[in-house]
Amino acid sequence: MSAGAPPAPIPGARLLFSLDPGVSYLNHGSFGAVPVGVQRAQQRLRDEIETNPLRFFAQGLGDRIIHTRRHVASFLRADPEGSALVANTTTGAALVLNTVKLESADEVLLTDHAYGAVAMAARRRCRRAGATARTVALPMGATDAELVSRVRAALRPGRTKLLIVDQIASATAMTFPVREIASVAQEHDIPVMVDAAHVPGMLDVDVSSIGADFWVGNLHKWAFAPRGTALLAVAPQWRRRMEPLVVSWEQEQGYPHSVEAQGTLDYTPWLAAPTGLFTLRTLGWEEVRAHNAALAAYGQRVIAAALNVADADLPRPADPDLSMRVVPLPAGLATTPPEAQALRQHIADKLAVETAVNAWGGRGLLRLSAQIYNRPEEYDRFAERLPQLLHDYRR
């Protein structure tokens, strides 16, 4: 299997970040990396707070949040009146689970690609209500039609009160036809939440056209916002029912103000998020997406070749713009979450490479991200050294 030619670097992109030059950071998908300009914008906001905290929180903060929300919603083509800024996708999922009414005979349906914290939140909510959290298996490599068919067969009209589906799965880097899945669920009046944690900044998305009841995505992964920035979009029929997880002074204003107003929360990540979007646009968003997708594909090919993974066994995303790819690890490695975490740390310690290792379906998956600060030679070096490390690790 030939790795092919990697994409040309985007000139000067590496200098936009303050990452440790002694580490190959191939894991943008977990926590992102904030450009220096965005860091400085956030620090200016923090400095503003400390010059007069009362003035910052009491005079005009609400208007600034509204302005930011509209800016972000416009970027994602979501209805700004039905959107709210939240800390992250997991927070958005908790708000949704808190809103949907569950009783003892009800269930929440998830897929086996669901993010761990979201799945845990669903199980906890179901335990408290006496309901059931059920999982439908969706094989990697399935076509969109097969995925829709499996979800359709798993729905239980009258019992399924919420379907949670990823737009891009964290562990498997697999994309799902969320528009079609939402349509199928709503044929039976089953609300749908789309976990789009990795979508903003990676994919060109039109949230309103998906038709989901709830959609939530992080801006701090691929859209260069400071950590703690996400957008929750809620369909009109649910907005009056949305309740914050913590009641604060904007409670009587209703959604989205009641969700966004959280007392002395650090709002600087949200207010600096438009600077992240400005950075993305200045670089050329189409160029960034094309570079990252091509580099992720290159990294996947070169590391798969080093591990002797057959071309037919290499998962490929349905969306060509995806900036994350996975490589199956040798059988018996990282088959459980603790084993995956231990291997990830071992790779970081021994090779100075930050990557993601996930256990899914009894198999370890090495997940590679690509961002504009990465270079092809980082994947080449990793591919040269990884086989021996894994060989020694198994002994």
Side-chain angles (χ1 to χ4, degrees):
M1 177 174 55
S2 172
I10 294 177
R14 179 64 182 82
L15 300 176
L16 298 176
F17 298 85
S18 52
L19 291 163
D20 182 351
V23 174
S24 290
Y25 200 79
L26 308 182
N27 191 15
H28 189 87
S30 284
F31 297 102
V34 184
V36 172
V38 182
Q39 294 178 43
R40 291 173 177 167
Q42 184 181 16
Q43 187 58 50
R44 287 193 294 270
L45 289 161
R46 287 174 172 153
D47 293 342
E48 179 187 345
I49 293 172
E50 299 311 325
T51 62
N52 190 327
L54 182 60
R55 181 175 59 197
F56 180 87
F57 284 98
Q59 297 181 20
L61 176 59
D63 289 340
R64 294 170 81 171
I65 292 173
I66 291 171
H67 174 77
T68 298
R69 184 212 311 147
R70 288 175 176 167
H71 189 103
V72 171
S74 174
F75 174 72
L76 298 170
R77 283 173 277 179
D79 179 1
E81 301 309 313
S83 301
L85 292 166
V86 295
N88 50 39
T89 297
T90 309
T91 300
L95 284 160
V96 172
L97 289 162
N98 190 51
T99 297
V100 175
K101 184 179 179 181
L102 293 175
E103 297 179 348
S104 58
D106 297 335
E107 69 174 25
V108 173
L109 181 64
L110 307 103
T111 80
D112 58 347
H113 298 255
Y115 185 63
V118 171
M120 286 190 285
R123 290 194 292 268
R124 186 182 72 168
R125 175 72 176 92
C126 287
R127 280 198 306 271
R128 291 178 173 178
T132 302
R134 189 165 58 88
T135 300
V136 54
L138 301 177
M140 291 182 67
T143 65
D144 284 357
E146 290 168 340
L147 295 171
V148 172
S149 177
R150 282 178 176 260
V151 171
R152 184 194 299 272
L155 296 172
R156 295 174 178 172
R159 291 190 60 187
T160 307
K161 299 302 181 182
L162 178 66
L163 167 64
I164 300 177
V165 62
D166 292 80
Q167 192 162 355
I168 303 172
S170 178
T172 61
M174 184 171 164
T175 58
F176 293 86
V178 290
R179 183 181 291 105
E180 292 80 2
I181 288 173
S183 177
V184 165
Q186 289 165 355
E187 290 173 4
H188 303 288
D189 295 322
I190 296 171
V192 176
M193 188 199 96
V194 174
D195 179 340
H198 290 274
V199 170
M202 186 194 294
L203 300 184
D204 186 8
V205 64
D206 184 339
V207 171
S208 295
S209 73
I210 292 172
D213 298 82
F214 312 98
W215 183 99
V216 59
N218 292 325
L219 277 293
H220 54 248
K221 291 182 182 287
W222 301 93
F224 295 154
R227 289 168 206 89
T229 308
L231 190 82
L232 170 65
V234 177
Q237 65 270 25
W238 289 98
R239 294 172 191 173
R240 292 174 63 91
R241 288 179 261 183
M242 295 297 295
E243 293 284 353
L245 301 175
V246 178
V247 173
S248 194
W249 286 103
E250 295 295 319
Q251 175 68 15
E252 300 306 315
Q253 297 299 316
Y255 180 86
H257 307 284
S258 60
V259 167
E260 293 172 331
Q262 293 293 299
T264 54
L265 180 75
D266 182 3
Y267 297 97
T268 62
W270 299 357
L271 300 182
T275 306
L277 295 179
F278 174 80
T279 303
L280 192 60
R281 291 186 175 109
T282 300
L283 289 164
W285 188 29
E286 291 185 1
E287 290 81 358
V288 168
R289 294 205 323 268
H291 169 274
N292 292 347
L295 186 55
Y298 174 81
Q300 182 192 44
R301 291 192 301 269
V302 72
I303 291 169
L307 297 181
N308 295 314
V309 177
D311 191 59
D313 296 331
L314 198 59
R316 289 182 173 81
D319 195 313
D321 283 339
L322 215 64
S323 304
M324 297 193 305
R325 300 288 183 105
V326 296
V327 177
L329 290 169
L333 278 177
T335 59
T336 67
E339 291 175 0
Q341 173 62 17
L343 179 56
R344 186 208 67 79
Q345 188 62 54
H346 187 72
I347 291 171
D349 292 342
K350 298 298 183 180
L351 302 184
V353 175
E354 293 291 356
T355 187
V357 180
N358 295 299
W360 185 85
R363 186 75 183 265
L365 298 175
L366 179 72
R367 192 191 74 192
L368 302 167
S369 299
Q371 189 47 273
I372 57 174
Y373 50 75
N374 293 130
R375 295 290 182 268
E377 53 266 29
E378 294 181 283
Y379 298 91
D380 294 336
R381 288 195 302 268
F382 189 32
E384 290 172 4
R385 302 172 67 193
L386 183 61
Q388 186 63 50
L389 178 139
L390 295 180
H391 177 269
D392 295 343
Y393 189 75
R394 300 182 67 172
R395 291 170 59 183

